[in-house]
């Protein structure tokens, strides 16, 4: 477990394939009394809808979820382009812009939760309970690459082609060897002859070109397209080399240099993401919906510490108060986000948590206030992640690593002042604050480059994953509740139903949802034994 947090004003964020799940109470678990009477059973069923297309950034500014995918050139989303340019500039001199059209992205997230809870008053003042949540997440992403007259990069032919690049490089190496052999022969006869000088220079040029082109083809998933400035320069270089080879009586490079077919658009970009020979080898960046699945199951215990009331001369209660301690064990039954689905959100943390705190209530005949404060000790657990710095959504396949994640501890505080409109109906304001410390990551495996034709491993520092895991969030809203007679004024049984809406009003951390949370539920209480 990690020490309790600092407010995340200086946090820097990452979300590997990820998304980071907030530590939140389950849907519909409002600030009701956690303790039921001895012999009573309380059953709850409800739901929660949380939708958002904005987030709170590193410093608390509200920004679109797709902000990290917006670039002046879509090529900035693909690692290795700088190395590609370095290699080709060394071969043909100053070349083209090495760019794609501007990238734009629209991203939205939805989380649906259906918690099913059971609480039993086993003895006077002590209640045990369990909550089984069903969870479903949905993600919609639309990545667009604008048309651009200066765009000159397409899918690397080493990724898209059927062996054309290895064949060309092999031929180039053979012509370099032929030129070196001829140079040795000519220079042995007359080291000052023009033929000797030309053959020696050509051997050096072809050998250097073979190395530079091998670096260029292996640098990135992108490569200059045919008909662009750099593509034409490469074609011209091959033509010049063939002329010199022919003048020396050597076989030319039989095939033209492999180039990308055309500059990449958004359809081609999605194809690059999913290509089995490319650097990403991921699901497309599009709509993705999980199936309904089990979240992290909770087992809990609550104990009444004190309660009391003040009555008037007629015997009517004018003021009542109560304090209870609560403890929760959250089990690692949920499913973590998929490392191969960018921006995926799992069905909970999938690791064990220990949570403890207190619940307090103070009520008059019409006014009341309830509050709950919790401290969460999140336990370490293993997860698969793609290493990348904050802001790089499209981490490559070779940067996948198994890590132990030791989450930062967290606190949450909720306050609900309420007003009873009628004996069975009340309205309430609701404020909630959540804050959590930074996670610590330890590598359990080493990132390993794949055996594909292009580089797919760029990062090995797992500390990059910690950036942005420290966060804070505040929500504000209101609720309306209907309670039947018998709940909670008298024991023995009854039901309660409620609707609550809360909106995120502030936060920080880089990945904190800035959305609206809607909750509803129904609770039934029945006495099974005792008087």
């Amino acid at each position: 477990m990690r020490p309790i947090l600092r407010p995340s004003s200086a946090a820097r964020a990452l979300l590997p394939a990820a998304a980071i799940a907030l530590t939140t109470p389950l849907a519909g678990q409002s600030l009701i009394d956690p303790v039921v009477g001895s012999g009573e059973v309380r059953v709850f069923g409800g739901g929660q809808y949380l939708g958002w297309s904005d987030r709170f950034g590193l410093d608390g500014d509200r920004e679109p979820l797709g902000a990290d995918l917006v670039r002046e050139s879509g090529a900035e989303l693909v690692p290795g382009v700088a190395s590609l340019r370095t290699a080709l500039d060394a071969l043909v001199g100053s070349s083209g812009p090495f760019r794609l059209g501007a990238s734009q992205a629209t991203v939205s997230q939805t989380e649906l939760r259906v918690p099913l809870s059971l609480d039993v008053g086993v003895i006077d003042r002590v209640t045990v309970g369990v909550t089984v949540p069903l969870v479903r997440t949905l993600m919609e992403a639309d990545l667009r690459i604008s048309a651009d007259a200066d765009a000159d990069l397409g899918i690397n032919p080493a990724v898209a082609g059927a062996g054309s690049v290895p064949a060309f490089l092999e031929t180039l190496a053979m012509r370099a060897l032929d030129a070196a052999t001829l140079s040795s022969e000519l220079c042995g006869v007359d080291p000052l002859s023009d033929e000797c000088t030309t053959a020696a220079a050509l051997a050096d040029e072809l050998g250097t070109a073979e190395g530079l082109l091998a670096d260029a083809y292996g640098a990135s998933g992108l490569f200059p397209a045919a008909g662009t400035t750099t593509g034409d320069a490469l074609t011209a270089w091959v033509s010049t080399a063939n002329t010199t080879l022919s003048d020396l009586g050597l076989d030319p490079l039989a095939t033209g240099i492999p180039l990308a077919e055309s500059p990449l658009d958004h359809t081609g970009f999605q194809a690059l993401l999913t290509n089995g020979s490319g650097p990403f080898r991921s699901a497309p960046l599009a709509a993705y919906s999980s199936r309904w699945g089990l979240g992290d199951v909770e087992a809990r215990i609550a104990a009444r510490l004190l309660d009391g009331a003040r009555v008037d001369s007629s015997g009517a209660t004018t003021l009542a108060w109560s304090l209870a301690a609560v403890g929760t064990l959250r089990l690692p039954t949920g499913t973590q986000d998929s490392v191969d689905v960018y921006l995926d959100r799992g069905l909970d943390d999938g690791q064990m948590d220990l949570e403890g705190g207190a619940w307090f209530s103070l009520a008059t005949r019409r006014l009341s206030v309830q509050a709950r404060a919790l401290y969460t000790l999140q336990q370490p657990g293993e997860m698969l992640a793609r290493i990348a710095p904050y802001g790089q959504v499209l981490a490559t396949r070779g940067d996948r690593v198994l890590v132990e994640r030791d989450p930062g501890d967290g606190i949450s505080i909720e306050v609900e002042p309420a007003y009873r409109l009628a004996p069975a109906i009340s309205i309430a304001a609701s404020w909630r604050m959540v804050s959590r410390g930074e996670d610590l990551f330890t590598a359990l495996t080493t990132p390993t480059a794949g055996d594909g034709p292009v580089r797919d491993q760029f990062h090995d520092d797992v500390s990059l994953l910690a950036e942005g895991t420290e966060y804070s969030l505040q929500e504000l809203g209101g609720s309306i509740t209907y309670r039947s007679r018998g709940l909670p004024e008298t024991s023995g049984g009854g039901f309660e139903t409620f609707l609550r809406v809360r909106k995120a009003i502030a936060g920080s951390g880089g990945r904190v949802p800035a959305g609206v949370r809607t909750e509803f539920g129904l609770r039934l209480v029945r006495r099974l034994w005792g008087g």
Side-chain angles (χ1 to χ4, degrees):
M1 66 192 72
R2 301 288 296 148
I4 187 62
L5 48 105
R6 306 173 300 277
S8 51
S9 59
R12 297 166 59 191
L14 167 73
L15 197 45
I20 299 176
L22 298 179
T23 304
T24 62
L26 293 173
Q29 298 299 289
S30 64
L31 300 188
I32 61 165
D33 191 337
V35 181
V36 299
S38 177
E40 289 184 348
V41 173
R42 179 170 60 202
V43 178
F44 171 80
Q48 179 192 90
Y49 172 89
L50 174 61
W52 71 103
S53 57
D54 291 335
R55 69 189 186 192
F56 292 109
L58 298 178
D59 298 320
D61 295 333
R62 195 178 181 114
E63 57 191 25
L65 274 181
D68 293 333
L69 294 168
V70 177
R71 295 288 189 272
E72 182 180 349
S73 166
E76 297 175 28
L77 300 174
V78 183
V81 173
S83 298
L84 166 67
R85 180 166 197 160
T86 298
L88 294 185
D89 281 354
L91 178 63
V92 297
S94 179
S95 50
F98 286 81
R99 62 170 285 116
L100 297 175
S103 62
Q104 299 289 332
T106 301
V107 180
S108 63
Q109 297 269 11
T110 301
E111 180 182 274
L112 305 172
R113 304 180 72 92
V114 178
L116 305 172
S117 298
L118 175 68
D119 292 289
V120 180
V122 290
I123 59 175
D124 187 34
R125 293 180 172 266
V126 177
T127 295
V128 296
V130 63
T131 296
V132 178
L134 302 177
V135 187
R136 185 183 186 190
T137 60
L138 301 93
M139 182 271 292
E140 294 186 0
D142 183 19
L143 176 64
R144 295 283 170 173
I145 305 295
S146 302
D148 191 317
D150 292 329
D152 62 348
L153 297 177
I155 294 182
N156 190 332
V159 173
S164 60
V165 170
F168 177 80
L169 293 177
E170 182 180 359
T171 301
L172 184 58
M174 292 174 60
R175 296 294 86 82
L177 180 60
D178 292 343
T181 301
L182 179 61
S183 170
S184 178
E185 295 174 355
L186 294 174
C187 295
V189 175
D190 184 359
L192 300 179
S193 67
D194 292 341
E195 292 81 1
C196 167
T197 302
T198 300
L202 181 61
D204 289 342
E205 181 181 3
L206 294 181
T208 299
E210 192 273 334
L212 290 173
L213 285 173
D215 290 343
Y217 283 117
S220 171
L222 300 176
F223 200 81
T228 64
T229 300
T230 307
D232 291 345
L234 290 170
T235 300
W237 178 86
V238 170
S239 177
T240 300
N242 277 339
T243 298
T244 306
L245 286 167
S246 297
D247 290 345
L248 292 172
L250 299 175
D251 293 335
L253 299 168
T255 59
I257 186 169
L259 300 171
E261 291 184 0
S262 61
L264 211 61
D265 58 11
H266 58 272
T267 301
F269 202 101
Q270 296 284 9
L272 176 62
L273 292 179
T274 59
N275 191 293
S277 298
F280 301 106
R281 303 196 293 284
S282 69
L285 191 60
Y288 179 78
S289 175
S290 69
R291 296 182 178 180
W292 283 101
L294 187 64
D296 290 344
V297 173
E298 295 182 354
R300 59 184 169 275
I301 185 170
R304 182 89 61 206
L305 300 180
L306 63 86
D307 57 3
R310 180 181 298 170
V311 297
D312 59 18
S313 57
S314 66
T317 300
T318 59
L319 183 66
W321 59 88
S322 181
L323 176 65
V326 293
T328 299
L329 171 64
R330 190 171 293 117
L331 302 174
T333 53
T335 302
Q336 297 175 345
D337 55 276
S338 172
V339 71
D340 295 325
V341 179
Y342 295 120
L343 303 177
D344 182 33
R345 187 177 178 89
L347 305 183
D348 267 334
D349 283 344
Q351 58 192 50
M352 186 176 295
D353 298 335
L354 301 174
E355 193 170 72
W359 171 92
F360 176 75
S361 174
L362 181 67
T364 65
R365 291 177 178 176
R366 284 191 176 272
L367 296 174
S368 66
V369 61
Q370 295 178 327
R372 175 171 57 190
L374 299 172
Y375 190 105
T376 304
L377 301 174
Q378 298 196 100
Q379 304 303 298
E382 294 182 3
M383 64 178 293
L384 192 61
R386 294 190 182 208
I387 304 173
Y390 172 73
Q392 182 185 330
V393 175
L394 306 181
T396 51
R397 176 80 173 194
D399 288 333
R400 296 197 339 165
V401 60
L402 181 66
V403 299
E404 181 186 71
R405 174 185 174 230
D406 189 358
D409 297 344
I411 58 173
S412 66
I413 300 173
E414 296 179 74
V415 180
E416 283 195 355
Y419 178 76
R420 181 171 296 182
L421 297 174
I425 300 176
S426 63
I427 58 174
S430 177
W431 174 81
R432 173 172 170 264
M433 182 278 292
V434 179
S435 190
R436 202 191 76 178
E438 187 177 76
D439 296 350
L440 176 66
F441 292 88
T442 303
L444 301 179
T445 60
T446 301
T448 304
D451 56 1
V454 298
R455 182 182 177 187
D456 66 354
Q457 200 277 309
F458 294 86
H459 304 287
D460 56 12
D461 182 4
V462 295
S463 67
L464 292 173
L465 297 173
E467 298 178 85
T469 56
E470 180 182 358
Y471 65 80
S472 66
L473 171 68
Q474 292 188 58
E475 294 177 322
L476 184 65
S479 65
I480 183 169
T481 302
Y482 175 84
R483 293 183 175 92
S484 71
R485 294 185 63 184
L487 182 69
E489 288 83 356
T490 63
S491 61
F495 73 90
E496 174 188 83
T497 184
F498 73 94
L499 172 67
R500 177 189 293 108
V501 178
R502 289 193 288 208
K503 181 179 181 179
I505 59 172
S508 63
R511 298 294 185 186
V512 180
V516 175
R517 188 187 308 271
T518 301
E519 304 168 70
F520 64 91
L522 174 67
R523 298 184 183 89
L524 302 175
V525 178
R526 291 291 183 267
R527 182 176 296 283
L528 297 186
W529 70 87

